[in-house]
């Protein structure tokens, strides 16, 4: 049996992963603020168990109880694939104009939420003898600075290092969890629209992202979802590794 847990599952890459999982898994547990209208229909069509949990990951105090609720729904014989996908690109501003409220939201959603969820997941499943995979969706911004993306780059860099450390710690455990980072590259999603609509004074690379769209250089979320699932279901994962979709093409 296979159970997929996906955060940020109502749109973009999260929704694309969820739709594909409906076809191949036994149980999909989707976490987002709002439900995607197609998921219930797809679950019925493919006979997949669907659990939807409404949650704003900005409310970090609720995350430990969220993991307890999620794991209570997982069959005791099921392998588990946990994909921390939810994220925000904003604030797109140079340092000095970020603002504390916007910074705190970025830190909570992009960094605190996935590391708290991962920490609780590893703690509560450490004695579970089955396949356990945690994927933290990353970005090239974890490795490279971009003007106007101080918050996004910093949170993704922090999450990537957390994943490396957590992965290295699993090596000697009797029932380890595989933890990886995955960079999906540039995709045709709502987040890309937000990037293109940024003020050029706040984001000096804006024209390059317009060019990605105009020249058809953005990958579809469906294509990226397929590559990610092929990686985590088939490949022997290197714990803590940063996987880039460009190396999987």
């Amino acid at each position: 049996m296979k159970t997929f847990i996906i955060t940020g599952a109502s749109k973009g890459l999260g929704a694309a992963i969820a739709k594909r999982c409906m076809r191949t898994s036994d149980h999909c547990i989707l976490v987002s603020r709002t439900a995607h209208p197609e998921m219930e229909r797809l679950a019925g069509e493919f006979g997949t168990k669907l659990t939807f949990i409404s949650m704003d990951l900005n409310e970090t105090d609720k995350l430990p109880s969220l993991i307890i609720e999620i794991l209570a729904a997982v069959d005791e014989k099921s392998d588990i694939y946990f994909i921390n996908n939810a994220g925000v690109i904003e604030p797109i501003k140079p340092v000095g104009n970020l603002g504390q409220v916007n910074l705190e939201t970025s830190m909570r959603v992009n960094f605190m939420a996935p590391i708290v969820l991962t920490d609780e997941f590893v703690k509560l499943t450490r004695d579970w003898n089955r396949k356990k995979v945690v994927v933290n969706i990353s970005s090239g911004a974890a490795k490279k600075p971009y003007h106007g993306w101080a918050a996004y780059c910093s949170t993704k860099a922090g999450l990537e290092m957390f994943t490396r450390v957590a992965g290295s710690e699993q090596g000697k455990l009797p029932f380890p969890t595989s933890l990886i980072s995955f960079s999906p590259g540039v995709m045709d999603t709502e987040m890309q629209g937000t990037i293109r609509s940024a003020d050029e004074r706040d984001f000096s690379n804006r024209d390059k992202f317009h060019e990605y769209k105009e020249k058809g250089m953005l990958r579809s979320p469906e294509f990226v979802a397929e590559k990610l699932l092929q990686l985590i279901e088939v490949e022997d994962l290197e714990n803590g590794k940063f996987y880039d979709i460009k190396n999987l093409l």
Side-chain angles (χ1 to χ4, degrees):
M1 296 184 68
K2 295 179 184 178
T3 297
F4 280 83
I5 305 159
I6 306 162
T7 69
S10 64
K11 57 188 177 182
L13 179 60
I17 296 170
K19 289 177 183 178
R20 182 158 288 276
C21 290
M22 293 294 180
R23 295 166 166 81
T24 61
S25 70
D26 302 284
H27 187 188
C28 291
I29 302 175
L30 309 182
V31 180
S32 58
R33 287 178 295 176
T34 58
H36 190 289
E38 288 187 56
M39 297 304 173
E40 192 168 337
R41 178 186 64 79
L42 288 170
E45 180 180 344
F46 294 101
T48 304
K49 183 178 179 182
L50 172 62
T51 301
F52 172 70
I53 301 174
S54 178
M55 172 65 72
D56 184 351
L57 299 184
N58 195 28
E59 300 178 26
T60 51
D61 58 311
K62 298 180 180 179
L63 298 179
S65 60
L66 172 63
I67 283 291
I68 292 172
E69 181 180 357
I70 287 171
L71 294 180
V74 176
D75 188 279
E76 64 180 12
K77 296 180 180 179
S78 181
D79 293 338
I80 308 172
Y81 299 85
F82 189 176
I83 302 174
N84 279 309
N85 166 74
V88 294
I89 185 68
E90 295 167 306
I92 302 176
K93 297 280 185 182
V95 174
N97 295 309
L98 293 168
Q100 182 175 340
V101 172
N102 293 330
L103 272 174
E104 289 180 351
T105 297
S106 175
M107 295 290 176
R108 283 194 293 266
V109 176
N110 291 345
F111 183 63
M112 283 300 298
I115 71 170
V116 170
L117 291 173
T118 300
D119 181 59
E120 292 293 321
F121 177 86
V122 168
K123 177 177 71 175
L124 295 175
T125 65
R126 65 182 53 177
D127 295 325
W128 293 16
N129 184 14
R130 63 184 86 174
K131 185 173 184 179
K132 299 171 292 182
V133 177
V134 174
V135 180
N136 288 322
I137 298 299
S138 190
S139 167
K143 305 279 193 178
K144 177 182 176 181
Y146 286 84
H147 174 271
W149 285 11
Y152 189 68
C153 290
S154 299
T155 53
K156 288 299 184 181
L159 181 59
E160 196 268 328
M161 180 55 75
F162 170 86
T163 306
R164 287 169 61 185
V165 173
S168 70
E169 292 171 347
Q170 292 295 303
K172 296 181 180 180
L173 298 181
F175 307 123
T177 297
S178 295
L179 301 104
I180 66 165
S181 297
F182 176 75
S183 174
V186 288
M187 295 180 291
D188 197 3
T189 62
E190 185 178 305
M191 183 180 286
Q192 281 290 318
T194 301
I195 292 168
R196 292 192 300 272
S197 67
D199 191 307
E200 191 172 13
R201 291 169 295 184
D202 294 329
F203 181 50
S204 61
N205 288 315
R206 188 188 67 174
D207 288 348
K208 179 185 292 186
F209 282 79
H210 275 281
E211 185 178 340
Y212 290 154
K213 177 68 171 178
E214 292 162 2
K215 293 187 175 180
M217 299 169 67
L218 301 175
R219 300 182 186 93
S220 72
E222 292 75 20
F223 175 82
V224 175
E226 180 180 4
K227 291 297 180 183
L228 172 58
L229 294 181
Q230 287 174 353
L231 171 69
I232 63 177
E233 291 185 289
V234 177
E235 297 294 326
D236 186 13
L237 298 173
E238 180 181 336
N239 224 328
K241 181 174 178 177
F242 180 95
Y243 286 87
D244 193 317
I245 192 170
K246 293 192 292 290
N247 299 323
L248 303 175
L249 302 177

